[in-house]
Amino acid sequence: MHVSRLLRAMSVCILVAGTHAAYAADSLTVVSYGGQYTASQRVAHYEPFARKTGIEIKSVDYNGGLAELVAQVRSGSVSWDVVDVEMQDLERGCSDGLFERVDLDKLPSGTDGKPAKEDFLDGALHPCGVGSVVWSNVIAVNDPAFAGRTGPQTIDDFFDVAAFPGKRGLPKRPNALLEWALMADGVEPASVYEVLSTPEGLDRAFRKLDTIKDESVFWETGAQMIQLLVDGEVAMSTAYNGRIQGAISDDGKPLRIVWDRQIWNADYYAVVRGSREKAAAEDFVRFATGTEALAAQARVIAYGPIRRSAEALIDPKIAATLPTASVNFQNALAFNAAWWTDHGDVVNERYAAWLAQ
């Protein structure tokens, strides 16, 4: 993301008036994924919270996962206060006692007056965390590969190598991919995980993947995925919407997002069990997941705000590029982190064997 865009966003960010609240804490350590994502959090959440409360936010980057968190909590030497986590890690961490429980009744209402429990998307409120952004697995198309004719518009097109020839980019992990294989094979989004839970359904998904394997190039990171598309090595690829939108908006790349049956996921703020600044950390989570803060973040990065009331505060041109826009979200599938927690080891092993064949 260009620095100029962040600076513009800062000029329209949340204005906080009044005196600083009285807190014992003078700083909080908030852990996230770095890069453009943490930059968006700094502009929309960290700095406005610091202005409001006088509490400095110390930002720490990590690569996800729970290993460091487990070490801190188990040793009783906790140095992190708030962690940005994906649902699968939130589920595991909550079960293992790594996060404080959330008092959902204390979450602020939306700016439209709607209670928090009605304003957040389904699945955004968890006993151990509060959702902040929606990001999606989508299909990205390199439009120059289809010059002079209509390119892919649906998930079915992605799996149709006869009508839409060209290399496909696929991830070296099966998450979201197996779901798309089933949907392209005729399974309705609402039934995907039920079907995938059966041996027959899993076989069906892999048979569908077989139909495009010979036309596929496999990537490990978001950066590799973007490079394959930009260099024309693949005509289309499974992708992360934020990466693709950044390449389109900031770098002018001739890429396009196919929103058909997007598979959406969410990130959550969670307070670390044993934080010495628990009260201030909880206040930060409530602030950062308020309507204004989520809208402010969506203005600087192409992740959807997880509160419905935030969309009204976002420029319509920007809102249209987000996964939560109504036209983009109409047949979306929610990523089932609990399913992957229960079945992931077996499925990952089978997918690795499939890759090696």
PDB file of all heavy atoms in Angstrom, residues 33-47:
ATOM      1  N   TYR A  33       0.072  -9.363  12.127  1.00  0.00           N
ATOM      2  CA  TYR A  33       0.793 -10.035  11.055  1.00  0.00           C
ATOM      3  C   TYR A  33       1.765  -9.164  10.277  1.00  0.00           C
ATOM      4  O   TYR A  33       2.417  -9.642   9.356  1.00  0.00           O
ATOM      5  CB  TYR A  33      -0.204 -10.677  10.090  1.00  0.00           C
ATOM      6  CG  TYR A  33      -1.029 -11.758  10.742  1.00  0.00           C
ATOM      7  CD1 TYR A  33      -2.284 -11.481  11.272  1.00  0.00           C
ATOM      8  CD2 TYR A  33      -0.544 -13.047  10.858  1.00  0.00           C
ATOM      9  CE1 TYR A  33      -3.035 -12.469  11.894  1.00  0.00           C
ATOM     10  CE2 TYR A  33      -1.288 -14.052  11.462  1.00  0.00           C
ATOM     11  CZ  TYR A  33      -2.532 -13.747  11.987  1.00  0.00           C
ATOM     12  OH  TYR A  33      -3.269 -14.727  12.602  1.00  0.00           O
ATOM     13  N   GLY A  34       1.863  -7.893  10.603  1.00  0.00           N
ATOM     14  CA  GLY A  34       2.825  -7.038   9.928  1.00  0.00           C
ATOM     15  C   GLY A  34       2.345  -6.547   8.577  1.00  0.00           C
ATOM     16  O   GLY A  34       1.206  -6.764   8.166  1.00  0.00           O
ATOM     17  N   GLY A  35       3.238  -5.848   7.870  1.00  0.00           N
ATOM     18  CA  GLY A  35       2.959  -5.392   6.517  1.00  0.00           C
ATOM     19  C   GLY A  35       1.808  -4.413   6.434  1.00  0.00           C
ATOM     20  O   GLY A  35       1.552  -3.631   7.360  1.00  0.00           O
ATOM     21  N   GLN A  36       1.101  -4.454   5.314  1.00  0.00           N
ATOM     22  CA  GLN A  36      -0.011  -3.546   5.087  1.00  0.00           C
ATOM     23  C   GLN A  36      -1.123  -3.746   6.098  1.00  0.00           C
ATOM     24  O   GLN A  36      -1.820  -2.794   6.463  1.00  0.00           O
ATOM     25  CB  GLN A  36      -0.563  -3.740   3.669  1.00  0.00           C
ATOM     26  CG  GLN A  36       0.403  -3.367   2.559  1.00  0.00           C
ATOM     27  CD  GLN A  36      -0.204  -3.601   1.191  1.00  0.00           C
ATOM     28  OE1 GLN A  36      -1.294  -4.149   1.073  1.00  0.00           O
ATOM     29  NE2 GLN A  36       0.502  -3.187   0.154  1.00  0.00           N
ATOM     30  N   TYR A  37      -1.281  -4.986   6.537  1.00  0.00           N
ATOM     31  CA  TYR A  37      -2.368  -5.265   7.473  1.00  0.00           C
ATOM     32  C   TYR A  37      -2.142  -4.542   8.806  1.00  0.00           C
ATOM     33  O   TYR A  37      -3.028  -3.832   9.297  1.00  0.00           O
ATOM     34  CB  TYR A  37      -2.479  -6.768   7.691  1.00  0.00           C
ATOM     35  CG  TYR A  37      -3.615  -7.158   8.616  1.00  0.00           C
ATOM     36  CD1 TYR A  37      -4.915  -6.725   8.370  1.00  0.00           C
ATOM     37  CD2 TYR A  37      -3.394  -7.954   9.733  1.00  0.00           C
ATOM     38  CE1 TYR A  37      -5.960  -7.081   9.209  1.00  0.00           C
ATOM     39  CE2 TYR A  37      -4.422  -8.318  10.569  1.00  0.00           C
ATOM     40  CZ  TYR A  37      -5.707  -7.882  10.305  1.00  0.00           C
ATOM     41  OH  TYR A  37      -6.731  -8.231  11.147  1.00  0.00           O
ATOM     42  N   THR A  38      -0.957  -4.686   9.385  1.00  0.00           N
ATOM     43  CA  THR A  38      -0.678  -3.981  10.635  1.00  0.00           C
ATOM     44  C   THR A  38      -0.653  -2.472  10.415  1.00  0.00           C
ATOM     45  O   THR A  38      -1.071  -1.702  11.295  1.00  0.00           O
ATOM     46  CB  THR A  38       0.651  -4.461  11.243  1.00  0.00           C
ATOM     47  OG1 THR A  38       0.506  -5.835  11.638  1.00  0.00           O
ATOM     48  CG2 THR A  38       1.034  -3.644  12.462  1.00  0.00           C
ATOM     49  N   ALA A  39      -0.207  -2.028   9.256  1.00  0.00           N
ATOM     50  CA  ALA A  39      -0.234  -0.592   8.954  1.00  0.00           C
ATOM     51  C   ALA A  39      -1.666  -0.061   9.012  1.00  0.00           C
ATOM     52  O   ALA A  39      -1.927   1.035   9.522  1.00  0.00           O
ATOM     53  CB  ALA A  39       0.383  -0.324   7.585  1.00  0.00           C
ATOM     54  N   SER A  40      -2.618  -0.849   8.506  1.00  0.00           N
ATOM     55  CA  SER A  40      -4.018  -0.423   8.550  1.00  0.00           C
ATOM     56  C   SER A  40      -4.538  -0.407   9.982  1.00  0.00           C
ATOM     57  O   SER A  40      -5.328   0.475  10.359  1.00  0.00           O
ATOM     58  CB  SER A  40      -4.879  -1.356   7.686  1.00  0.00           C
ATOM     59  OG  SER A  40      -5.059  -2.627   8.282  1.00  0.00           O
ATOM     60  N   GLN A  41      -4.105  -1.344  10.790  1.00  0.00           N
ATOM     61  CA  GLN A  41      -4.513  -1.356  12.195  1.00  0.00           C
ATOM     62  C   GLN A  41      -3.917  -0.167  12.950  1.00  0.00           C
ATOM     63  O   GLN A  41      -4.577   0.430  13.808  1.00  0.00           O
ATOM     64  CB  GLN A  41      -4.069  -2.665  12.852  1.00  0.00           C
ATOM     65  CG  GLN A  41      -4.813  -3.890  12.334  1.00  0.00           C
ATOM     66  CD  GLN A  41      -4.230  -5.182  12.871  1.00  0.00           C
ATOM     67  OE1 GLN A  41      -3.021  -5.409  12.782  1.00  0.00           O
ATOM     68  NE2 GLN A  41      -5.088  -6.034  13.421  1.00  0.00           N
ATOM     69  N   ARG A  42      -2.681   0.173  12.612  1.00  0.00           N
ATOM     70  CA  ARG A  42      -2.038   1.297  13.287  1.00  0.00           C
ATOM     71  C   ARG A  42      -2.814   2.592  13.040  1.00  0.00           C
ATOM     72  O   ARG A  42      -3.077   3.370  13.965  1.00  0.00           O
ATOM     73  CB  ARG A  42      -0.597   1.435  12.808  1.00  0.00           C
ATOM     74  CG  ARG A  42       0.192   2.548  13.506  1.00  0.00           C
ATOM     75  CD  ARG A  42       1.638   2.567  13.057  1.00  0.00           C
ATOM     76  NE  ARG A  42       2.322   1.349  13.454  1.00  0.00           N
ATOM     77  CZ  ARG A  42       2.738   0.407  12.617  1.00  0.00           C
ATOM     78  NH1 ARG A  42       2.529   0.549  11.305  1.00  0.00           N
ATOM     79  NH2 ARG A  42       3.356  -0.671  13.059  1.00  0.00           N
ATOM     80  N   VAL A  43      -3.187   2.812  11.789  1.00  0.00           N
ATOM     81  CA  VAL A  43      -3.909   4.024  11.433  1.00  0.00           C
ATOM     82  C   VAL A  43      -5.315   4.054  12.037  1.00  0.00           C
ATOM     83  O   VAL A  43      -5.758   5.070  12.566  1.00  0.00           O
ATOM     84  CB  VAL A  43      -4.000   4.155   9.895  1.00  0.00           C
ATOM     85  CG1 VAL A  43      -4.977   5.251   9.495  1.00  0.00           C
ATOM     86  CG2 VAL A  43      -2.617   4.448   9.312  1.00  0.00           C
ATOM     87  N   ALA A  44      -6.011   2.928  11.944  1.00  0.00           N
ATOM     88  CA  ALA A  44      -7.422   2.910  12.314  1.00  0.00           C
ATOM     89  C   ALA A  44      -7.684   2.576  13.777  1.00  0.00           C
ATOM     90  O   ALA A  44      -8.703   3.001  14.336  1.00  0.00           O
ATOM     91  CB  ALA A  44      -8.162   1.894  11.432  1.00  0.00           C
ATOM     92  N   HIS A  45      -6.759   1.847  14.433  1.00  0.00           N
ATOM     93  CA  HIS A  45      -7.016   1.367  15.783  1.00  0.00           C
ATOM     94  C   HIS A  45      -5.990   1.861  16.806  1.00  0.00           C
ATOM     95  O   HIS A  45      -6.355   2.445  17.831  1.00  0.00           O
ATOM     96  CB  HIS A  45      -7.021  -0.165  15.805  1.00  0.00           C
ATOM     97  CG  HIS A  45      -7.996  -0.776  14.851  1.00  0.00           C
ATOM     98  ND1 HIS A  45      -7.969  -2.112  14.486  1.00  0.00           N
ATOM     99  CD2 HIS A  45      -9.046  -0.245  14.161  1.00  0.00           C
ATOM    100  CE1 HIS A  45      -8.945  -2.369  13.628  1.00  0.00           C
ATOM    101  NE2 HIS A  45      -9.596  -1.246  13.407  1.00  0.00           N
ATOM    102  N   TYR A  46      -4.691   1.608  16.521  1.00  0.00           N
ATOM    103  CA  TYR A  46      -3.682   1.889  17.531  1.00  0.00           C
ATOM    104  C   TYR A  46      -3.580   3.372  17.864  1.00  0.00           C
ATOM    105  O   TYR A  46      -3.647   3.768  19.043  1.00  0.00           O
ATOM    106  CB  TYR A  46      -2.299   1.398  17.072  1.00  0.00           C
ATOM    107  CG  TYR A  46      -2.165  -0.073  16.745  1.00  0.00           C
ATOM    108  CD1 TYR A  46      -0.951  -0.567  16.255  1.00  0.00           C
ATOM    109  CD2 TYR A  46      -3.222  -0.974  16.905  1.00  0.00           C
ATOM    110  CE1 TYR A  46      -0.796  -1.910  15.939  1.00  0.00           C
ATOM    111  CE2 TYR A  46      -3.069  -2.314  16.591  1.00  0.00           C
ATOM    112  CZ  TYR A  46      -1.854  -2.777  16.108  1.00  0.00           C
ATOM    113  OH  TYR A  46      -1.701  -4.103  15.795  1.00  0.00           O
ATOM    114  N   GLU A  47      -3.394   4.183  16.838  1.00  0.00           N
ATOM    115  CA  GLU A  47      -3.169   5.606  17.074  1.00  0.00           C
ATOM    116  C   GLU A  47      -4.400   6.317  17.628  1.00  0.00           C
ATOM    117  O   GLU A  47      -4.274   7.124  18.568  1.00  0.00           O
ATOM    118  CB  GLU A  47      -2.646   6.261  15.801  1.00  0.00           C
ATOM    119  CG  GLU A  47      -1.254   5.757  15.426  1.00  0.00           C
ATOM    120  CD  GLU A  47      -0.770   6.235  14.072  1.00  0.00           C
ATOM    121  OE1 GLU A  47      -1.547   6.919  13.366  1.00  0.00           O
ATOM    122  OE2 GLU A  47       0.383   5.920  13.713  1.00  0.00           O
TER     123      GLU A  47
END
